[in-house]
Amino acid sequence: MPAAFRAQCVAVGSALPERRLTNADLERLVDTDDEWIVSRTGIRERRIAEPGTGLSALALPAAKQCLERAGVTADTIDGIIVATISGDHVMPATANILQHQLGATKAFGYDLLNACNGFVAALSTAAAFIESGHAKRILVVGGDIMSTLIDYRDRNTCILFGDGCGAVLVEAGPADGPGIVGFELHSDGAGAADLAIPCSGSAHIPTSEALARGDQFVKQNGRTVFTQAVRRMSEVCVSLLEKLKLTKNDIDLLVPHQANLRIIEPTASRLGVPMDKVVVNIERVANTTAGTIPLALADAFADGRLKKGSRVLLAAFGGGLTWGALYLTWGRA
Amino acid sequence: MSTHPRPINEALAILDAKQRFASPQQRIEHLRWMMRGRGLDDRLVALYRSSLVHGNVFTGHGQEALSAAIGMFMQRPVPGTPGDVFAPLIRDTAGRLSFGESFEDSFRTYLGKRTGPMRGRDGNIHRGDPTKGHLAMISHLGAMVAAVCGTLIARRLRAEPKSARTVGVTCIGDGGMATGALHEGLNVMAVDKLPMVVVVANNHLSYSTFNDRSFACKDLVSRAEAYGMRGVSIDGTDAEECLWAVGDAITRARNDEGPQMVVATLLRLQGHGTHDDASYVPADLRARFPDCLDAAPKKMLADHVIDQAGIDAMWVEVKDEISQAYERIRNEPAPNPDEEQWTAYSVPDLTSFRCGNAGSTP
């Protein structure tokens, strides 16, 4: 049965911490250097929240900016989904905290845990709510305080990640209007150990020995993740476009997860999308996990590249392993 | 060296400490103190080999980066204020110098000169000068923690405003960390929340006993937490790390943040003393640890803090300072038994006895 509504992405907001952690700073913490980091990742600096800052401290200003741009008040929101792996707490969900802080009095809220693919998954979930008529207006937040999940002795990971948060407001619109046209999500738990935080749930008790080993921090099999990311992101984009009977010419903007410039470039190349149509901000904000795509959308909105009618392809890959793509036309009908 | 994971709050604190305590100017000054320590030790060894030294020479080869940093952040006494208190150990040539001991007083002690701080009556490393904040070493096996504790408690009991915000620092090795005196001292230091820093040089050799027979914990810094004080574990061969860690610890102690411990992992690069050839140190252990006086200039060159000409010139200047100091004291007299007060302890005129120039502090 065709959907009665289409989920429109009507506004975006973002928030970044003030503090910058530059490659020069990292040179003073681990054995690395600016040239190495830039040549292998494209990252020059990342933002770092002050220790003790929860994700809600970034989610709130990002959400407020988003709602203001959308011209709606918080009490009209039906639901809040926060994609993150570093919420304020495991319980309560950051979405609940945000719901209260925003004054979104009638909204439900929950967090969605799907690592770097979290925002695409959350946006897909919001689309499903709206297309099925279960909600009219959902705030989708993606963000992470990755600095709390990183061992700053591990030069393989500490150079890659930063903190940041973005939000997109999704509304019910006419079924034949702009909005989320389609999405595709995948996972493969066989690669679970390739990108993981070992001591972060019920499978591993945080013993003093585990904490001394640093099991509470991100561990990554960089080579495998890199290879899989390039392959899976381009595969899922091609698959989604075929399913929607679209071509690369139907893409105004490719907004990929910002994990590594050396993943972004080959992904775009395999899709045949020129780099001037690819939103890249990794140089300034690094990998913010669930925050990369909404932050990139916010940057594209700020520089005028994302506007009403823009045809946008989102693509992400992350720990799980999990990957997905989502195609949308921006703005209200 | 420590492999403990480093969370973001520690990483940011380190960056802040590096900014405050390991600026380019401070790194250059630090290198100069390291060179002075190495240069003096080498000269003393040469004098020992010429049979001019009474007793042994104990050198700080490999420990200069750690030791030199200590004096740089301590406050020397000036008229009207007592300054900080330092109880150096046998490998703290560089730290003694950076806290104000003169080359001359070091030479005088090793050569048994009447004009030295111990008046030629006590041996080499057991020298001190309370008027300059240097406590004479009783033993390097833990005794000095209690001595510094006592000095700070006495100042606290006197409640003299001029003593406010002064700190005490002492050093210990991995062997000394296993002694009873050390543990009692650490406990007093922590219980009384003294403004004090214990700098631990884990040089892997308790004379000739290796770490695996000296302690069973993973890192000696766990002792800090056990006693209730802040501790950091650092790479003692990394000059920059020694600077910020020691500077940060001394500053925290001065700012009433309680007692501090800095554990530095390094390697003793020579024997226990000049009598020991250290032939028992295996090559693979030696290969794991660079000489801080090789590593520091290399890193400073890479960081564009100094150029090779600057480093070369500094060595020339330091060696010249040492030679001039030696020439100034070499003909000074030995003790005269007819004039000495042969008491077992210090005498009231200990300092006044040292008429004349005690030496120039660099």
Side-chain angles (χ1 to χ4, degrees):
Chain A
M1 187 175 72
F5 305 98
R6 174 161 280 170
Q8 306 177 134
C9 296
V10 301
V12 62
S14 64
L16 290 168
E18 286 294 316
R19 186 193 280 262
R20 289 174 159 82
L21 188 69
T22 65
N23 291 351
D25 291 330
L26 290 174
E27 285 177 6
R28 307 194 81 190
L29 288 173
V30 292
D31 184 14
T32 190
D33 65 69
D34 176 63
E35 185 183 347
W36 192 94
I37 298 172
V38 172
S39 66
R40 282 166 176 77
T41 69
I43 300 166
R44 293 189 185 278
E45 64 179 34
R46 63 289 293 147
R47 298 297 186 93
I48 300 294
E50 292 305 314
T53 303
L55 177 64
S56 62
L58 295 182
L60 183 63
K64 283 182 172 176
Q65 185 184 56
C66 178
L67 296 182
E68 188 179 326
R69 285 174 174 171
V72 303
T73 55
D75 58 2
T76 66
I77 300 171
D78 298 319
I80 298 172
I81 305 172
V82 176
T84 186
I85 59 168
S86 55
D88 290 19
H89 317 277
V90 172
M91 181 180 72
T94 302
N96 301 145
I97 295 168
L98 182 60
Q99 175 266 336
H100 173 67
Q101 291 176 338
L102 271 178
T105 49
K106 68 170 189 169
F108 66 80
Y110 60 84
D111 290 356
L112 189 153
L113 194 92
N114 202 36
C116 298
N117 193 31
F119 188 77
V120 172
L123 207 53
S124 306
T125 306
F129 267 108
I130 285 170
E131 288 172 9
S132 63
H134 284 90
K136 294 288 187 191
R137 183 170 281 159
I138 293 181
L139 183 67
V140 179
V141 177
D144 271 298
I145 309 291
M146 288 305 294
S147 58
T148 61
L149 301 177
I150 297 300
D151 176 4
Y152 284 86
R153 278 192 203 276
D154 180 359
R155 64 176 181 170
N156 296 314
T157 54
C158 75
I159 62 171
L160 298 174
F161 293 95
D163 303 337
C165 188
V168 168
L169 187 68
V170 185
E171 291 180 347
D176 59 351
I180 296 172
V181 180
F183 55 83
E184 191 172 315
L185 300 171
H186 295 276
S187 64
D188 179 7
D194 290 326
L195 180 50
I197 304 171
C199 194
S200 57
S202 55
H204 288 86
I205 296 168
T207 60
S208 55
E209 291 81 6
L211 298 179
R213 281 196 304 270
D215 288 355
Q216 69 276 37
F217 296 122
V218 170
K219 310 292 180 196
Q220 176 172 238
N221 181 346
R223 186 173 296 275
T224 301
V225 171
F226 178 87
T227 308
Q228 286 285 319
V230 173
R231 178 182 158 201
R232 298 301 193 181
M233 278 171 63
S234 51
E235 270 180 7
V236 73
C237 287
V238 168
S239 173
L240 179 63
L241 290 175
E242 284 178 1
K243 190 161 73 181
L244 299 176
K245 298 183 169 45
L246 300 171
T247 71
K248 64 180 181 181
N249 297 324
D250 296 303
I251 301 170
D252 296 321
L253 283 179
L254 171 63
V255 183
H257 169 55
Q258 312 281 312
N260 189 323
L261 187 59
R262 292 174 67 188
I263 294 174
I264 295 170
E265 287 174 340
T267 301
S269 173
R270 290 186 184 192
L271 290 174
V273 176
M275 285 304 290
D276 61 358
K277 287 187 173 184
V278 183
V279 181
V280 179
N281 64 3
I282 192 170
E283 181 181 14
R284 293 180 290 108
V285 295
N287 183 351
T288 55
T289 302
T292 58
I293 288 180
L295 285 172
L297 286 170
D299 280 356
F301 176 79
D303 66 23
R305 298 168 74 193
L306 178 67
K307 49 187 180 290
K308 186 176 178 180
S310 294
R311 298 167 301 172
V312 184
L313 179 61
L314 314 180
F317 176 90
L321 300 170
T322 171
W323 62 98
L326 184 148
Y327 184 85
L328 64 90
T329 309
W330 188 259
R332 280 196 178 101
Chain B
M1 50 212 71
S2 174
T3 54
H4 287 298
R6 180 183 286 158
I8 184 64
N9 56 319
E10 286 183 16
L12 296 177
I14 288 168
L15 287 175
D16 178 58
K18 286 192 174 189
Q19 187 90 15
R20 295 169 63 198
F21 306 116
S23 69
Q25 293 76 15
Q26 286 167 314
R27 290 173 70 185
I28 291 170
E29 183 190 353
H30 185 223
L31 179 63
R32 188 180 291 275
W33 287 119
M34 289 167 64
M35 288 177 173
R36 284 172 169 151
R38 177 66 59 89
L40 178 57
D41 273 344
D42 285 345
R43 189 60 179 268
L44 290 169
V45 170
L47 293 171
Y48 171 85
R49 289 176 179 154
S50 304
S51 301
L52 292 171
V53 168
H54 301 273
N56 273 308
V57 174
F58 299 88
T59 69
H61 286 69
Q63 195 165 317
E64 290 91 345
L66 178 67
S67 187
I70 296 169
M72 285 179 61
F73 299 101
M74 296 184 71
Q75 293 176 358
R76 299 180 187 184
V78 294
T81 60
D84 294 336
V85 178
F86 183 34
L89 296 193
I90 59 176
R91 312 213 182 282
D92 282 312
T93 311
R96 287 176 183 270
L97 292 169
S98 64
F99 187 50
E101 185 182 76
S102 63
F103 292 125
E104 286 89 336
D105 274 354
S106 182
F107 280 129
R108 285 174 177 129
T109 309
Y110 273 97
L111 298 177
K113 300 292 186 184
R114 177 188 189 185
T115 46
M118 312 312 284
R119 301 164 57 188
R121 307 192 314 175
D122 205 344
N124 47 52
I125 51 175
H126 292 279
R127 66 190 183 274
D129 187 342
T131 64
K132 292 182 176 178
H134 289 259
L135 299 189
M137 192 186 81
I138 303 164
S139 158
H140 60 281
L141 295 176
M144 300 315 292
V145 176
V148 176
C149 284
T151 306
L152 296 174
I153 290 171
R155 287 183 176 185
R156 181 179 282 174
L157 292 174
R158 287 175 181 164
E160 294 170 349
K162 63 187 181 183
S163 293
R165 298 175 68 79
T166 59
V167 304
V169 181
T170 190
C171 304
I172 193 78
D174 43 300
M177 282 291 275
T179 62
L182 182 279
H183 289 291
E184 291 182 35
L186 288 180
N187 196 49
V188 169
M189 173 185 167
V191 167
D192 280 338
K193 296 182 171 54
L194 295 173
M196 183 170 162
V197 181
V198 169
V199 177
V200 183
N202 175 10
N203 69 14
H204 285 81
L205 295 159
S206 307
Y207 199 125
S208 58
T209 302
F210 299 104
N211 274 181
D212 63 337
R213 296 301 302 162
S214 289
F215 55 88
C217 55
K218 186 177 177 188
D219 189 324
L220 288 168
V221 78
S222 58
R223 305 260 170 96
E225 186 181 359
Y227 279 102
M229 66 181 80
R230 179 180 172 276
V232 294
S233 180
I234 63 168
D235 177 356
T237 68
D238 183 327
E240 195 181 2
E241 195 161 320
C242 291
L243 257 186
W244 67 254
V246 170
D248 187 46
I250 292 174
T251 304
R252 284 175 186 269
R254 196 181 306 287
N255 292 339
D256 291 330
E257 292 184 39
Q260 311 281 318
M261 182 186 290
V262 177
V263 178
T265 303
L266 48 93
L267 184 68
R268 193 189 75 202
L269 298 180
Q270 291 196 339
H272 180 69
T274 39
H275 56 285
D276 171 19
D277 66 5
S279 56
Y280 46 83
V281 180
D284 59 338
L285 183 60
R286 291 184 189 278
R288 283 171 49 203
F289 293 91
D291 182 342
C292 58
L293 265 152
D294 290 337
K298 280 182 189 166
K299 183 72 166 40
M300 290 167 73
L301 287 171
D303 292 346
H304 307 290
V305 170
I306 195 169
D307 58 19
Q308 188 59 52
I311 293 169
D312 295 343
M314 202 185 291
W315 268 122
V316 170
E317 289 162 13
V318 165
K319 287 177 179 174
D320 190 48
E321 286 174 0
I322 293 167
S323 293
Q324 288 185 28
Y326 177 69
E327 289 305 318
R328 280 194 288 272
I329 64 91
R330 64 182 299 180
N331 293 321
E332 289 179 353
N336 182 338
D338 296 332
E339 296 176 0
E340 282 295 317
Q341 295 174 322
W342 290 106
T343 53
Y345 300 106
S346 176
V347 292
D349 69 341
L350 178 66
T351 53
S352 61
F353 186 87
R354 294 182 65 204
C355 53
N357 180 18
S360 56
T361 298

